């Protein structure tokens, strides 16, 4: 599926399944202060880490991009968090990071801390926004907030997640938050953050903290209009937006993932007689045939059998897919901690009591390598030389003549 991107002014959209957001008074301007998240949506979908960025910002988020209304409603309706104050502006399909950064500068000029998810679009927009605002950029954080003395403090992940570096700078600042770094629930504004304020049409309106026992007011998402980017901004020209190739797309954004662990290349298994690199190439081939992406555990990437950009876990890529199939993955906490909450989880392992099988919706107690070989043969994926015979899989049964 492709969509042609042409510059246009988008009218407020009614969120799917929700009530139309109330636009601000004509001619009024949005000016945010305190801590706020900026989330770039595509086709109404919240990017990986978008909910976490909103939670880290105390539930205050500005959603931009295509389908921003639907994405804003999705963020607002997450049970227990993460977004209590939501603004949205539909900026059309395709990301024009330069123009968007310029348009976001006036509303965010008074913000003390701007948090973006470290998704593909977030990483593209954040440095441009920091440059426009002329503030420091704290990239790749696992935690970020404001201190009592008004400084921005971030714990930055470095060396493939093996090292945390504490960075501090005078506020204001822009930061990117790694997906999977924090919970999206029980969002609360940073303890030392100044009271959040919103200026509409020049009038500053501080956000009131509810009294003890009083339910917090959570109005629905509000449509806003961003100022036009100044003439002469150097930017890309979006011709069309193409669906990503599952084999090469950002693993954190993949809806279906096949993961492989050390058990996939067990010596006594169906792939024990082939080089490990070839076994994981087979995993990638089967994943591509199923329209899925391939990933691996840290043991596999440390051994060099797959690249670190395919590592799943708290020190790798955080996932939240629709479907995750684990081949020979025991389920170490470092790995499962980066899985998020897959809608469907399947474990293929010879150990019926391993953590991965225990947490799976469906556990197949069999050799992962042999089952992968059988899948490859049925899907027409070339099987490497030396692969052992596959496991016996029952053929599907049709209906009997009498129904």
């Amino acid at each position: 599926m492709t969509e042609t991107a042409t510059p246009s002014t988008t009218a407020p959209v009614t969120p799917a399944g929700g009530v139309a957001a109330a636009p601000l008074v004509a001619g009024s301007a949005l000016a945010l202060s305190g801590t706020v998240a900026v989330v770039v949506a595509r086709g109404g979908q919240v990017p990986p880490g978008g909910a976490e960025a909103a939670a880290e910002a105390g539930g205050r988020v500005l959603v931009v991009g295509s389908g921003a209304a639907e994405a804003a409603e999705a963020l607002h309706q997450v049970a227990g968090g993460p977004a209590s104050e939501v603004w949205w502006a539909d900026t059309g399909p395709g990301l024009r990071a330069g123009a968007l950064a310029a348009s976001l500068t006036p509303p965010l000029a008074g913000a003390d801390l701007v948090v973006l998810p470290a998704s593909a679009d977030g990483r593209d927009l954040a440095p441009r926004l920091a440059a426009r605002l002329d503030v420091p950029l704290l990239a790749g954080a696992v935690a970020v907030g404001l201190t009592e003395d008004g400084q921005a403090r971030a714990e930055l992940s470095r060396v493939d997640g093996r090292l945390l570096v504490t960075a501090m700078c005078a506020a204001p600042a822009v930061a990117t938050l790694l997906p999977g770094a924090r919970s999206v629930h029980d969002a609360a504004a940073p303890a030392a953050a100044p009271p959040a304020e919103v200026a509409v049409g020049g009038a500053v309106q501080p956000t009131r903290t509810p009294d003890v026992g009083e339910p917090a007011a959570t109005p629905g998402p509000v449509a806003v209009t961003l100022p036009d980017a100044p003439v002469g901004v150097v930017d890309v020209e979006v011709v069309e937006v193409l669906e990503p190739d599952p084999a090469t797309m950002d693993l954190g954004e993949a809806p279906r993932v096949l993961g492989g662990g050390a058990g996939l290349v067990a010596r006594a298994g169906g792939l024990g007689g082939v080089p490990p690199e070839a076994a994981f190439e087979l995993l990638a081939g089967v994943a591509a045939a199923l329209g899925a992406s391939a990933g691996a555990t840290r043991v596999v990437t440390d051994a060099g059998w797959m690249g670190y950009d395919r590592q799943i876990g708290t020190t790798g890529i955080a996932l939240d897919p629709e479907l995750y199939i684990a081949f020979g993955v025991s389920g170490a906490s470092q790995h499962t901690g980066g899985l998020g909450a897959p809608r469907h989880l399947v474990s293929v392992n010879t150990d019926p009591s391993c953590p991965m099988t225990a947490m799976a919706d469906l556990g197949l107690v069999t050799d992962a390598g042999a089952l992968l070989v059988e899948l490859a043969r049925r899907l027409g994926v070339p099987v490497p030389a030396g692969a052992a015979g596959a496991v016996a899989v029952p053929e599907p049964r049709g209906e009997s003549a009498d129904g």
Side-chain angles (χ1 to χ4, degrees):
M1 172 181 152
T2 61
E3 53 182 1
T4 303
T6 55
S8 62
T9 302
T10 305
V13 180
T14 301
V19 180
L24 298 176
V25 178
S28 63
L30 176 68
L32 301 173
S33 63
T35 302
V36 63
V38 174
V39 172
V40 181
R42 282 185 180 261
Q45 298 298 311
V46 178
E52 296 159 75
E56 193 76 344
R60 305 176 69 242
V61 57
L62 172 61
V63 183
V64 295
S66 61
E70 290 79 5
E73 189 71 19
L75 279 174
H76 183 66
Q77 290 183 352
V78 174
S84 55
E85 296 179 76
V86 189
W87 301 270
W88 62 269
D90 198 308
T91 54
L95 177 65
R96 303 169 185 82
L100 182 56
S103 295
L104 287 171
T105 299
L108 297 174
D112 297 304
L113 180 61
V114 180
V115 183
L116 296 91
S119 60
D121 288 340
R123 296 193 304 269
D124 202 4
L125 177 61
R128 291 171 170 82
L129 183 58
R132 278 279 174 181
L133 293 170
D134 194 22
V135 300
L137 172 64
L138 303 170
V142 298
V144 62
L146 296 173
T147 64
E148 293 181 357
D149 58 355
Q151 294 195 82
R153 174 190 173 98
E155 298 292 330
L156 306 180
S157 176
R158 296 293 183 263
V159 196
D160 295 321
R162 294 172 173 81
L163 179 66
L164 286 181
V165 178
T166 300
M168 298 185 67
C169 65
V174 172
T176 57
L177 186 73
L178 294 174
R182 57 115 60 222
S183 171
V184 301
H185 299 287
D186 194 23
E197 296 178 343
V198 178
V200 178
V204 177
Q205 304 171 354
T207 301
R208 183 179 68 84
T209 302
D211 297 330
V212 176
E214 178 186 355
T218 55
V222 177
V224 298
T225 301
L226 298 179
D228 294 332
V231 178
V233 174
V234 178
D235 209 348
V236 298
E237 178 184 354
V238 180
V239 178
E240 59 182 351
V241 179
L242 305 176
E243 291 295 331
D245 180 358
T248 58
M249 71 182 296
D250 189 323
L251 190 58
E253 300 183 8
R256 295 176 295 277
V257 178
L258 271 59
L264 184 63
V265 290
R267 291 183 180 180
L271 289 171
V274 304
E277 295 85 351
F280 284 94
E281 286 178 5
L282 178 64
L283 177 70
V286 170
L290 294 173
S293 300
T297 64
R298 181 170 178 172
V299 172
V300 173
T301 57
D302 281 348
W305 301 336
M306 289 192 84
Y308 281 108
D309 60 331
R310 299 283 108 182
Q311 179 180 317
I312 302 168
T314 55
T315 57
I317 306 297
L319 308 181
D320 194 14
E322 289 287 319
L323 171 66
Y324 181 65
I325 305 178
F327 287 88
V329 178
S330 62
S333 59
Q334 184 275 336
H335 182 79
T336 58
L339 281 182
R343 185 173 180 183
H344 304 289
L345 177 57
V346 180
S347 173
V348 185
N349 205 296
T350 55
D351 182 1
S353 60
C354 70
M356 184 60 72
T357 300
M359 66 184 291
D361 300 302
L362 174 63
L364 302 178
V365 183
T366 188
D367 174 52
L371 182 59
L372 185 64
V373 170
E374 179 65 21
L375 279 174
R377 287 173 176 164
R378 295 193 177 207
L379 294 170
V381 178
V383 176
V391 293
V393 178
E395 293 290 340
R397 294 183 180 182
E399 293 184 353
S400 61
D402 58 3

